[in-house]
Amino acid sequence: MLAHSSALETGAAPPATPDEALDPDAMRQPLGDAWYCVGRAEAISGAKLRAVELNGEQIVVGRDPSGALFALRDRCPHRGMALSKGRFDGASLTCPFHGWRFGTDGRCRDVPTLSASDAADFSKIAVQRFPVSESAGFVWLNGHLGRQGADVPAMPELGFTPRGSLVVELVVEASFDLTTLSLVDPGHVAFVHDSWWFRPSKELREKVKTFQPVPHGFVMTSHATTTSSPVYRLLGGVPAVEIEFRLPGVRLERIEAGPKRVANYTFATPLTRNRTMLTNALYWNIPGLNLLKPVARPLMRQFLTQDQQVLQHAQAGLDRKPTMVLFGQGDLPSQWYFRLKREMLQAQGEGRPFRNPLTRQELRWRS
Ligand code: FES
Ligand SMILES: [Fe+2]
């Protein structure tokens, strides 16, 4: 029997049992060793550099001559200059301050101001390199320094070839945990997202949904009914909907109706301790939907802005008193988030595989 209510410190899990020697500060931070979305892959092409922020770290991302992504700390070791402000010829980055040159592997290749008679050896100088990858049309970064864990949650993939996509990004002045909770919180939808196009009925209805564990997260499966959102009805028929949450802050909504596929993916990225990026990507394999893009973009932005506004106000309240009361079955997914995060931290700390602590469960709430 799971407890249905508990008081939490912001970003902290339910009270730790004595044998859990977990640094409470680690629970308040976003997971260090994990993949985070840092922008669209197509925005980085040719000899373009892109400065991104992840967990308080400034990182410069680009592509080497083979097209492979690289990510380096955006800080010249000489005097701290941002390398993203410098020149990139496709193979090496030149710092704009004194011209030190670095390969895409981070190693210093040249210090042009050195005299030929100077014995100083620049080959030992290097810029920190970060693991970077590409998936579902986005760039994913792992900002963890030191040994990488073997059991890091997989980056989201798209199970079909998209015929179109729509991406909206929004910065929320709130912590990563608070923002990520909004991805698994069914209770806010009726109050925050009450736009006619998303939720035509104003009445709260009883919901019964089955949740089950998946690697590093949980999934809710259901069949949409004809009373559901017009967005689902656009697809025709009775679409099957599956919503997966996966650590560190990934929500994957997959909608299927016959051969038609729509995916609505949301990613949370910690920029700093109190600023989080929300990225929403909608993909589809139905060519006709491309015509709706000019209408859909402002609606998607409106939807994300609704979350942004309420999260910022809630963060202000949590800044004054950092406790939450997670209450009732509608808040269980929020509790699960903290349990998954805690297990991930423990597994990584002990160097063992992640063991999903969740079990299959039916939840009831009104929304
Ligand atoms: S700060 Fe980069 S070369 Fe001096
Ligand atoms: Fe929301």
Side-chain angles (χ1 to χ4, degrees):
M1 178 69 186
L2 274 159
H4 286 177
S5 71
S6 65
L8 298 188
E9 281 269 299
T10 316
T17 51
D19 58 326
E20 288 174 316
L22 201 60
D23 175 8
D25 215 46
M27 258 320 268
R28 288 188 196 100
Q29 310 276 344
L31 286 172
D33 189 4
W35 295 104
Y36 292 98
C37 170
V38 293
R40 308 192 71 166
E42 63 172 35
I44 302 169
S45 60
K48 246 190 257 169
L49 292 175
R50 197 179 159 142
V52 302
E53 198 174 16
L54 178 64
N55 240 336
E57 187 84 70
Q58 308 296 321
I59 297 169
V60 55
V61 182
R63 289 187 192 274
D64 71 17
S66 74
L69 289 165
F70 66 88
L72 302 174
R73 176 173 282 151
D74 195 6
R75 185 187 176 283
C76 178
H78 185 216
R79 294 257 215 296
M81 180 67 200
L83 292 171
S84 59
K85 301 276 184 224
R87 208 157 33 80
F88 178 49
D89 61 7
S92 58
L93 299 85
T94 305
C95 178
F97 206 167
H98 312 89
W100 289 22
R101 203 158 55 77
F102 299 89
T104 57
D105 59 358
R107 302 214 147 274
C108 185
R109 294 276 195 279
D110 189 25
V111 174
T113 48
L114 275 189
S115 143
S117 63
D118 193 331
D121 174 16
F122 57 76
S123 70
K124 300 261 177 343
I125 300 171
V127 182
Q128 178 69 46
R129 204 187 149 109
F130 295 94
V132 62
S133 195
E134 203 171 327
S135 190
F138 287 91
V139 177
W140 297 82
L141 252 174
N142 186 330
H144 180 64
L145 297 176
R147 195 172 52 92
Q148 229 77 53
D151 197 5
V152 170
M155 283 168 273
E157 291 199 348
L158 209 54
F160 61 91
T161 309
R163 299 290 300 267
S165 69
L166 191 57
V167 176
V168 170
E169 293 168 317
L170 209 66
V171 174
V172 185
E173 307 281 332
S175 75
F176 178 77
D177 277 347
L178 182 64
T179 307
T180 300
L181 287 186
S182 75
L183 306 185
V184 298
D185 168 27
H188 81 287
V189 178
F191 298 92
V192 175
H193 304 297
D194 60 350
S195 314
W196 61 269
W197 56 273
F198 184 69
R199 212 178 165 280
S201 164
K202 297 286 166 234
E203 269 167 57
L204 291 185
R205 285 207 181 79
E206 183 90 4
K207 298 278 161 65
V208 186
K209 297 275 156 77
T210 303
F211 292 78
Q212 43 194 18
V214 293
H216 306 100
F218 54 88
V219 69
M220 183 191 93
T221 43
S222 74
H223 281 84
T225 64
T226 43
T227 57
S228 54
S229 149
V231 179
Y232 288 172
R233 274 187 281 151
L234 264 181
L235 291 184
V238 180
V241 185
E242 180 187 87
I243 303 177
E244 176 184 344
F245 173 78
R246 191 191 294 176
L247 289 174
V250 168
R251 180 187 188 271
L252 308 171
E253 180 173 1
R254 305 183 187 97
I255 307 158
E256 280 187 37
K260 296 174 186 163
R261 299 277 182 282
V262 173
N264 181 34
Y265 285 5
T266 315
F267 316 126
T269 306
L271 302 179
T272 60
R273 229 184 144 90
N274 44 23
R275 273 169 57 246
T276 305
M277 170 84 92
L278 269 181
T279 304
N280 201 100
L282 195 65
Y283 314 82
W284 54 86
N285 71 350
I286 313 145
L289 282 190
N290 289 332
L291 296 170
L292 290 178
K293 265 173 101 159
V295 186
R297 186 183 295 279
L299 297 186
M300 201 153 120
R301 185 160 280 283
Q302 181 192 54
F303 189 91
L304 239 54
T305 307
Q306 291 166 339
D307 282 315
Q308 179 200 45
Q309 296 306 308
V310 79
L311 286 168
Q312 292 183 169
H313 287 299
Q315 184 65 59
L318 288 171
D319 287 345
R320 293 192 297 275
K321 186 172 190 284
T323 55
M324 297 182 199
V325 177
L326 296 185
F327 186 75
Q329 296 192 6
D331 267 347
L332 274 181
S334 297
Q335 297 208 27
W336 295 344
Y337 166 68
F338 288 116
R339 287 181 64 188
L340 290 165
K341 185 177 175 185
R342 171 174 292 273
E343 163 59 16
M344 193 76 233
L345 283 168
Q346 277 174 334
Q348 288 179 342
E350 292 163 21
R352 60 162 172 82
F354 175 91
R355 290 190 290 260
N356 196 320
L358 308 178
T359 52
R360 184 186 166 88
Q361 202 177 342
E362 196 178 86
L363 298 189
R364 288 165 185 271
W365 70 86
R366 288 167 66 79
S367 68

